[in-house]
Amino acid sequence: MEPCYTSFTLHQRQFIIATHEILHAKGWQSLKLSDEFILSFQSALRIESVPNRDRKILLLGERYAIAELPSHEKLTELCSGRFAIIEWPYIYGDATNLLSIFYSAASGEPIISSSPALLAVYGSFGQSERKLHWGGINWFPGPGSRVNLGRKLLRDQRLHIPSLQVEHFPRTIEPCDSFEAARESLATSLVALAQQISGRSQTVYLALTAGRDSRTLAAAFLAAGLRFETFTQRFDGVAENDIKIAAQISRSFGIRHHVIDLEPRDDQALQIWRQHTLSSYCDADDNRLFLGNSYRFLRPGDVFVVGGVFEFGRHFFAEVIRDLTYENAQGREL
């Protein structure tokens, strides 16, 4: 079977914002943002104009809308997906920054891109000396890096494009009155999202382990009546119980479960990964999964869902709730 990287276009669905047009490769296009700045992008990147009376808003990337888009104030609250928003003169990401935004002025002028590799070519984007490790949350450049190395926009920030000044961009989190209300809110949102995924792809795959995140998603998919299959990737670092329990859960509900073993290490896939990320990311994907061709079961049009994004909430609230006594906490405290 052909390795998965053969169908991987290095800079597919990427963009660059600069004072001049940058058509990085065949298939790139451009769009004027202002008298000074131009958006250049690979043609596979979806560009959507969001209706607004006061200003032009562009959504770059893929989104699943929980509801029809109203005013831009609720845009990020009502959408999930992988996208960036240009609300001139600002740019900011989705609630979890799945589509990264990097910026630098090291070349003498502002330049912004979703790819650190492209910024290295066109914006003199240097590399951090920070040592990466497998585990935790890694991003490039790391905290404390100098501006001339470039930076990554964080989830609670927006960037003023002409000046590259960063402003705090609060993400509204509305507290629920009780644990039961919070659980119901989460369940309703996950089921609604599962229903929107239904029918949009050839096959839906859910990465399932013994963990709470993936089991929560499986419950939402079942509640939504979504037809899906599950898979668990087997490599050193995955507990055997993750495979056994995922198989038992799937069997109980009549869901087809796949155990994906690694193929022999493919160093060419690693080379492509490191080129794309400037060797700036370290996790199971680049250490094990891409090298072992463990996504080989996916076909064009398939969707696979992973629940690890809940970790963002866990890290965000870790400091806030560390002294909370759950047994005696009231609804408003939670």
Side-chain angles (χ1 to χ4, degrees):
M1 181 178 292
E2 286 290 318
C4 62
Y5 68 79
T6 57
S7 60
F8 173 61
T9 302
L10 186 59
H11 292 115
Q12 193 173 13
R13 295 188 294 276
Q14 306 293 328
F15 69 85
I16 304 172
I17 299 175
T19 56
H20 56 284
E21 182 182 70
I22 300 177
L23 302 182
H24 174 71
K26 185 178 180 180
W28 278 62
Q29 305 174 39
S30 64
L31 181 65
K32 191 173 183 180
L33 296 177
S34 70
D35 291 339
E36 296 182 64
F37 286 88
I38 295 176
L39 168 69
S40 303
F41 57 95
Q42 204 267 349
S43 57
L45 178 69
R46 181 178 177 180
I47 307 292
E48 181 179 356
S49 180
V50 180
N52 184 268
R53 290 175 300 177
D54 302 324
R55 64 190 72 185
K56 184 177 181 180
I57 300 176
L58 293 177
L59 189 146
L60 284 55
E62 298 295 328
R63 58 102 174 171
Y64 294 102
I66 303 300
E68 291 299 315
L69 292 178
S71 63
H72 71 283
E73 286 84 359
K74 292 293 182 181
L75 182 63
T76 54
E77 282 74 16
L78 294 178
C79 287
S80 62
R82 181 177 182 269
F83 56 87
I85 298 169
I86 298 178
E87 184 179 351
W88 188 259
Y90 295 98
I91 183 171
Y92 52 95
D94 62 72
T96 53
N97 269 9
L98 289 179
L99 183 60
S100 299
I101 301 171
F102 300 92
Y103 58 97
S104 172
S107 61
E109 62 179 47
I111 185 167
I112 302 164
S113 180
S114 51
S115 165
L118 289 177
L119 221 56
V121 173
Y122 297 106
S124 302
F125 195 62
Q127 285 189 249
S128 170
E129 296 300 320
R130 188 173 71 99
K131 299 296 183 183
L132 298 180
H133 61 89
W134 183 11
I137 293 181
N138 287 294
W139 66 82
F140 171 72
S145 298
R146 297 292 181 260
V147 174
N148 63 356
L149 286 174
R151 288 184 179 273
K152 179 181 178 181
L153 198 66
L154 302 181
R155 62 176 298 278
D156 59 350
Q157 298 175 339
R158 69 176 183 176
L159 183 69
H160 185 264
I161 295 174
S163 65
L164 292 190
Q165 292 298 309
V166 174
E167 299 179 7
H168 179 64
F169 184 73
R171 301 287 186 178
T172 303
I173 300 176
E174 298 180 2
C176 294
D177 291 331
S178 66
F179 174 82
E180 289 72 20
R183 181 176 59 191
E184 182 65 27
S185 177
L186 175 63
T188 300
S189 297
L190 289 178
V191 169
L193 184 59
Q195 290 171 338
Q196 296 206 12
I197 294 175
S198 178
R200 292 180 63 110
S201 65
Q202 182 174 320
T203 306
V204 177
Y205 292 97
L206 173 66
L208 184 64
T209 65
R212 187 173 297 169
D213 291 353
S214 64
R215 287 188 286 122
T216 299
L217 286 177
F221 283 10
L222 289 167
L226 176 64
R227 297 186 62 181
F228 65 101
E229 299 179 14
T230 60
F231 71 94
T232 310
Q233 293 157 313
R234 177 158 49 198
F235 59 97
D236 57 325
V238 173
E240 193 62 31
N241 272 344
D242 275 328
I243 298 174
K244 291 180 180 179
I245 292 175
Q248 290 172 355
I249 292 172
S250 301
R251 188 164 52 247
S252 297
F253 292 98
I255 301 169
R256 187 178 181 185
H257 177 249
H258 308 266
V259 178
I260 311 298
D261 289 300
L262 299 184
E263 292 185 346
R265 175 186 171 101
D266 185 346
D267 286 325
Q268 188 174 355
L270 177 61
Q271 183 180 4
I272 291 176
W273 175 273
R274 287 179 174 172
Q275 181 183 351
H276 183 61
T277 64
L278 289 187
S279 301
S280 65
Y281 188 82
C282 185
D283 209 339
D285 275 320
D286 58 315
N287 276 269
R288 303 288 189 275
L289 302 182
F290 283 145
L291 304 188
N293 199 19
S294 65
Y295 295 104
R296 59 189 179 274
F297 60 95
L298 294 172
R299 296 291 179 266
D302 289 346
V303 167
F304 83 96
V305 182
V306 182
V309 77
F310 293 139
E311 291 292 333
F312 281 83
R314 187 176 303 175
H315 282 270
F316 182 81
F317 283 110
E319 186 67 22
V320 178
I321 64 177
R322 66 176 182 172
D323 297 323
L324 181 66
T325 304
Y326 290 98
E327 291 77 7
N328 300 322
Q330 301 300 310
R332 190 163 299 280
E333 290 177 302
L334 289 172

